[in-house]
Amino acid sequence: MTAASRWAGLAALLALWQGLALAGDGWLLAGPVQVAEWLWSNPGPTGRATAATLGNAAWGFLLGNGAAIGLAGIAALWPRALTLVAGLALVVFCLPLIATGPILRVLMGPGDGPQIVLAALAVYYTTLIPLLAGLRAMPQAWLDLVQSYGRGRWAELVHVRARAALPYLLAGLQISAPAAILGAMVGEFTGAERGLGVLTIRFTRDLDVPALWAAATLAAGLSMAVYAGIGWLGRRALSDPPPVILAAPRPVRGSPARKAAQAALLIGVVLVLWWAAVAGLNPFFARRPPDVAAALLWAPDAAATRATLGAAVAQTAGLALPGYAAGLALGAGLAVLLTLRPGLAAVTVPLAVALRSIPIVTTAPLVVLLLGRGATGTLTLVALMVFFPAFVACQQGLAQAPGPILDLFRSHASGPLRQMLHVRIPAMLPALFASARMTVPAAILAATVIEWLATGQGLGNLMALSASVSDYDMLWLTMVAATLLSALLYWAVAWAEGRVLAVMATEQVRP
């Protein structure tokens, strides 16, 4: 796609945006002209809020990606620790930001600490997964050469693996950049004094549509600028663009007893870390694992607690799962469409990047204004969160179709559609499943955020109510429930991935 076509696509999107705003008479949608006028008239508050959010996001970006690099290095130096490292990383990534935020606010008090921590939590996993793939993306002969000189794993990591992983690291940094803005704004929702998240809450309460769209535009602009900047650095540092690679899960090898022991070890480490993290803190708000278990199982009101929590989980899952499936289908469908009709990329790709770059905490109020507080708004928001990673991954997967096989189909006069059905889509499936695993926490996050802000139901609403009345038993329970829901769905997708890809491999070798 040329620079001229990109600018033409952007101009078409702006014109469409302004046209829709005029058609709606500015009641639900403020166009780019109204947004520009509002920003011009309010430079002080928006400038200070933008600087606060960008600073917190930058610190979180550095800390989260530093943690990802450290964890990947540990896995490369001690391969036996890979299962434990990956499992812990997944559990932490599945923690719902909007439930973690109030707890961090109580633990850390006023200031920027919760925003920075949430930004770090939002970014590290999306860098860790490509980086783990990159650390394995080199010929075995290179490692054999290092070992032939009597050097160990540290030399392999520094001289071979790190260089091979650089493109994957840059790809992970680019993908995670918008997530840092999201994490910082979620932290600002929990009682911060400044930032774009604070302005978003204020504008939502006031139903100030131009101001709300201005905040969304600023957040999107920040995300897109960082996204583009890291991409520019990648093109400067590397001869080829960074590949967007999402690693397939490694199968857990060994007997059922060994697998059970690994799972028990992971659960034990999680509980120990939980207990260590709250040790010495006031148990009124810093609940320990036994406190949470008691509230759920044997406290006098445990039955009522289970009923309330179960109903909230069912409501969230009932909306998150269809939206999640719709987002995957939309992302894969658009990738297929652009492969068949590349000319549409000038308009659709900028729109896709814009949708990914606008943080959910600003899109949630807008979606509610446009679609109402019912199921439609929640489904739409979840689908938007899942759509872009699936789209990017599926585009990459479609490009991996073997050239000789495509040439064979062309030699038999097979058209693009038949090539798509029999070659490109099978080649895309690993990338589609990888994106499906990666977007599970995003789907749960999207559902809980819109419940927190607007719909008045589900886990998100229960989190908001629990935080507002200092019911920390229920708040910790909602966090555990959302984490388990995300983890179970992740492992279900990974199981389906293994089964489907195994069947495909069998079909490919069958005579």
Side-chain angles (χ1 to χ4, degrees):
M1 188 167 56
T2 64
S5 62
R6 292 193 192 97
W7 285 109
L10 180 60
L13 288 176
L14 291 175
L16 176 62
W17 177 9
Q18 185 63 44
L20 292 174
L22 292 174
D25 199 24
W27 175 244
L28 294 177
L29 180 64
V33 174
Q34 290 80 12
V35 167
E37 290 176 349
W38 192 94
L39 292 174
W40 179 262
S41 302
N42 299 272
T46 54
R48 290 189 294 270
T50 302
T53 299
L54 185 60
N56 293 329
W59 278 112
F61 182 82
L62 292 175
L63 292 175
N65 286 303
I69 293 171
L71 290 172
I74 291 173
L77 292 173
W78 294 282
R80 291 182 180 273
L82 176 60
T83 300
L84 181 60
V85 168
L88 285 174
L90 174 63
V91 170
V92 175
F93 186 59
C94 290
L95 292 173
L97 297 182
I98 61 172
T100 310
I103 294 173
L104 289 173
R105 181 64 61 187
V106 173
L107 295 178
M108 305 181 74
D112 296 333
Q115 294 91 289
I116 294 173
V117 172
L118 288 179
L121 290 175
V123 305
Y124 81 97
Y125 197 73
T126 53
T127 298
L128 176 64
I129 294 303
L131 188 54
L132 287 174
L135 290 172
R136 302 193 299 266
M138 79 289 297
Q140 181 61 38
W142 295 4
L143 302 179
D144 294 339
L145 179 63
V146 173
Q147 294 170 4
S148 69
Y149 282 90
R151 309 297 293 274
R153 289 198 177 100
W154 177 256
E156 291 179 2
L157 178 62
V158 172
H159 298 292
V160 177
R161 295 186 186 273
R163 296 186 182 187
L166 181 58
Y168 299 81
L169 172 62
L170 289 171
L173 294 177
Q174 189 176 22
I175 295 171
S176 67
I181 306 293
L182 165 64
M185 292 183 68
V186 170
E188 292 163 358
F189 266 43
T190 63
E193 298 178 354
R194 55 183 181 170
L196 289 175
V198 176
L199 292 185
T200 299
I201 294 175
R202 182 186 308 167
F203 299 150
T204 302
R205 291 172 178 170
D206 297 340
L207 294 180
D208 191 340
V209 175
L212 193 56
W213 280 96
T217 302
L218 282 173
L222 287 177
S223 299
M224 294 176 71
V226 178
Y227 182 92
I230 296 175
W232 178 83
L233 288 175
R235 290 189 294 272
R236 287 279 183 151
L238 305 168
S239 57
D240 297 319
V244 180
I245 299 295
L246 298 173
R250 283 191 171 186
V252 180
R253 303 184 184 281
S255 64
R258 182 178 178 182
K259 294 177 183 179
Q262 290 176 333
L265 175 62
L266 176 60
I267 294 172
V269 171
V270 170
L271 293 176
V272 168
L273 291 177
W274 176 359
W275 209 316
V278 299
L281 299 176
N282 190 337
F284 173 72
F285 56 82
R287 293 292 195 259
R288 279 69 171 168
D291 302 327
V292 175
L296 183 65
L297 298 177
W298 58 78
D301 59 346
T305 297
R306 289 195 299 271
T308 301
L309 185 64
V313 170
Q315 289 171 338
T316 298
L319 294 177
L321 295 181
Y324 169 74
L328 290 176
L330 182 61
L334 183 60
V336 170
L337 177 62
L338 294 187
T339 302
L340 295 173
R341 296 289 184 267
L344 299 175
V347 174
T348 54
V349 172
L351 178 59
V353 175
L355 289 174
R356 175 63 179 90
S357 299
I358 301 175
I360 185 177
V361 291
T362 56
T363 54
L366 298 174
V367 168
V368 171
L369 285 173
L370 291 170
L371 300 176
R373 297 176 179 269
T376 304
T378 304
L379 292 174
T380 300
L381 194 61
V382 173
L384 289 177
M385 282 290 288
V386 173
F387 153 73
F388 184 76
F391 168 64
V392 172
C394 289
Q395 273 199 316
Q396 185 76 13
L398 290 169
Q400 304 306 313
I405 297 180
L406 291 174
D407 292 339
L408 178 63
F409 270 72
R410 295 187 190 104
S411 68
H412 287 81
S414 297
L417 184 58
R418 185 174 291 274
Q419 296 172 31
M420 177 64 66
L421 292 174
H422 296 284
V423 183
R424 293 190 184 275
I425 288 180
M428 180 193 75
L429 285 179
L432 174 61
F433 274 113
S435 67
R437 287 184 286 108
M438 288 289 294
T439 53
V440 164
I444 303 301
L445 171 64
T448 52
V449 163
I450 198 167
E451 290 167 349
W452 175 292
L453 293 174
T455 65
Q457 61 180 356
L459 279 173
N461 180 64
L462 189 56
M463 293 171 188
L465 291 176
S466 303
S468 65
V469 299
S470 299
D471 185 356
Y472 291 106
D473 279 333
M474 184 60 78
L475 184 58
W476 283 86
L477 281 171
T478 57
M479 186 167 67
V480 171
T483 302
L484 288 176
L485 181 61
S486 298
L488 289 174
L489 182 55
Y490 179 98
W491 282 313
V493 173
W495 176 85
E497 176 183 15
R499 298 296 294 267
V500 170
L501 297 185
V503 170
M504 288 180 56
T506 302
E507 293 293 334
Q508 289 175 356
V509 302
R510 184 177 297 171

